[in-house]
Amino acid sequence: MKPIQVGLIGLGTVGAGTFHVLQRNQAEIRGRAGRGIEIAMVAARNAERAKAFQAIVGDGVPCVADPQQLVDNPDIDIVVELIGGIEPARSLVLKAIANGKHVVTANKALLALHGSEIFAAAREKGVTVAFEAAVAGGIPIIKALREGLTANRIEWIAGIINGTTNFILSEMRSKGLDFATVLKEAQRLGYAESDPTFDIEGVDAAHKLTIMSAIAFGVPVQFDKAHVEGISSLQATDIKYAEQLGYRIKLLGITRRRENGFELRVHPTLIPASRLIANVEGAMNAVVVQADAVGTTLYYGKGAGAEPTASAVVADLVDVTRLATADPDHRVPHLAFQPDAMSNTPVLSMADVKTAFYLRLVVADQAGVLSRITTILAEHDISIDAVLQRESADGERQTDLIILTHDTVEGRMNEALAKMQGLPTVLAPIVKLRKEELA
Amino acid sequence: MKPIQVGLIGLGTVGAGTFHVLQRNQAEIRGRAGRGIEIAMVAARNAERAKAFQAIVGDGVPCVADPQQLVDNPDIDIVVELIGGIEPARSLVLKAIANGKHVVTANKALLALHGSEIFAAAREKGVTVAFEAAVAGGIPIIKALREGLTANRIEWIAGIINGTTNFILSEMRSKGLDFATVLKEAQRLGYAESDPTFDIEGVDAAHKLTIMSAIAFGVPVQFDKAHVEGISSLQATDIKYAEQLGYRIKLLGITRRRENGFELRVHPTLIPASRLIANVEGAMNAVVVQADAVGTTLYYGKGAGAEPTASAVVADLVDVTRLATADPDHRVPHLAFQPDAMSNTPVLSMADVKTAFYLRLVVADQAGVLSRITTILAEHDISIDAVLQRESADGERQTDLIILTHDTVEGRMNEALAKMQGLPTVLAPIVKLRKEELA
């Protein structure tokens, strides 16, 4: 059988990685897929990269500057989009689909924002859009959620799905350094981009979480409804206090089924230090899934990098090669559920989200302060799990008061916080972090 | 489209769990599969269970005592075999295949011993045998290995794939109890069978490992070549010494690619306490996979129990329902590789397996003992990583000497051990455990 013909758009880190993995493991991949997978054409804007590529492969594989040429090439069966960003990626993917080609992409931003449009177009043309590489790099989490756990009603997902921020948090904790110092170190080591905004502000994690929520709950991708909070204002002192209380702080993407909708939120989160996911260090990723039949499962691995991401891209190529022979109605649906089984469950507003809280208050070191604060919490029906009061040094007029609460809805907590913040004995803005037991 | 018709053989824990999950999550499962999955007939030897089942479902689903009736029923598309053991499971599965039915099974013993025969029969008839539930219960590890990591050359797999023994080891460590005491506790709690031999002697883990090795390396299942060692002779004192040296002891199934073949072994193993898998406690399972493109990935979850196992059985039912519409050449191959791509790489003998070792010697407390032992190791080219010598109490004439070695082949280690054992100052049989860095 003729090898399936692949067009590769983008020769950056992941594009080059995909090319190398396909070449190096050619025999293994053909042995598994039952059919060769051949890169028939490459598109790269960067002339230097194109030249270096041409030097490796010779003239056998044409490398063009204009990706339009590639998506219009009638010999190509599958288009692999690895340029990232919204445009021109969106137009190229839609054009490839219109031309009847299957698409493999690692582009989380594109799918989190325009997934509905893209999947609808693919359905209409009877082609598949595969995107394992868009979430958690090399970890086969899309496959696990969509096929492995297909028997289950998924209750919640909580993931460390951004390696940059997990590296920064690991370093802040183990070395006791502050955010700015560690960010510089991460940039020097290549773990953070020169403009790190998307990573450190939680946007990248929210893109990935949005895709997982759609697959888990059978809802459309709706990034615009996600609550997104990063780690740039997180202070080393809170990491330290959390540790004293038996918790680690991780940037988690959490999506959870509730009675009237589902939660969709990315924020720094305290989790018990004994949980497996609390011990995921450095740039590694991990996703915990809670589902009704299987219980808790966890998936761990590298969430980024040339070859880990290529591993997912190539797995998709093999899947698409196989699925292409099944009739479209019997392929794995893009978002796990058949289009007519999708639901319009709403995303809950943060005011309705229920979590426990970590509060740090800088208070005047005088009698009655704790009582006034606990009274406000009691008036809002918020019960206290633990209190940690720092010994104030001699002569100091202020001290840190840390409170862990039990679960409460965030709206109510915000009302209580406004009252506490108004007390003359509360001397600085109160730090509020969410806490999850993940059990 | 008419729901696919399933025949369920066995109404034990997993059989009942499968029935309940299919019923409870009917709507979700149909929404994902695009087609209903209906249990059309059940076979159960146990008359009481059959009666209880009939009381729940009414007369709509016939429940027969003779499974032969079920595999011969022309209305049934997929046979689910959940009775375990070799016979009559083997004959029933082969008969179902001969009758042109797809098969889903959780039977690891059957596949580890007779997989080659069963997969060949299935290939000939163009049907699929699915077995996600046979390895690590609800964790979708077969799917991950076979599809998720399909781009990779897999280097090694190391798994905690038996919950009973992991529960016992966790309890021995955390409570400092001995094996016999914890085994009784495990039996009382239902974590161990009344005859626990298959679990505690490592046989169950070896069945699962054998299946994973075939998928990872494209070799036939060959349980008879596996090295199988359990935990029944493991002593609490070695768990304690290991901990002092920074290690945990886990019963691991390890299969690893080497130059002249591959390793296939189950035995208690020291692993660094900082590894994620070292922190998998209680009856939980976890599998670490090292592969060339993706690096290290880990999969964690419940390895047994009614609903976790049912989760895997039902996922297979959905997969088979889908794949049935693809032509047989383009389905996922049973053992990941197409039959003509399988290799005959041999299983290495333990004498050729390379690991580090933990040795515990009971030695006379006198000058020159350590020097004689280290000389023997040096003569065999075995280098020492760490030594721990217990302080002997006043008046004691003997003491414990613990040695961690660097990597060496086991044949050489055994020669050195025979010499050490012959020393008059070595007062008891030497304890030898293997150590793996898993990195």
Side-chain angles (χ1 to χ4, degrees), chain B residues 244-263:
Chain B
Q244 286 172 22
L245 290 158
Y247 294 86
R248 299 269 169 91
I249 299 182
K250 296 287 184 187
L251 183 69
L252 289 188
I254 299 176
T255 186
R256 187 189 293 257
R257 200 191 278 278
R258 293 288 189 191
E259 209 174 322
N260 305 312
F262 70 97
E263 304 170 357

Side-chain angles (χ1 to χ4, degrees), chain B residues 93-110:
Chain B
V93 164
L94 288 171
K95 191 65 193 298
I97 292 169
N99 288 340
K101 298 178 193 319
H102 302 287
V103 172
V104 173
T105 176
N107 194 331
K108 43 239 165 202
L110 179 63

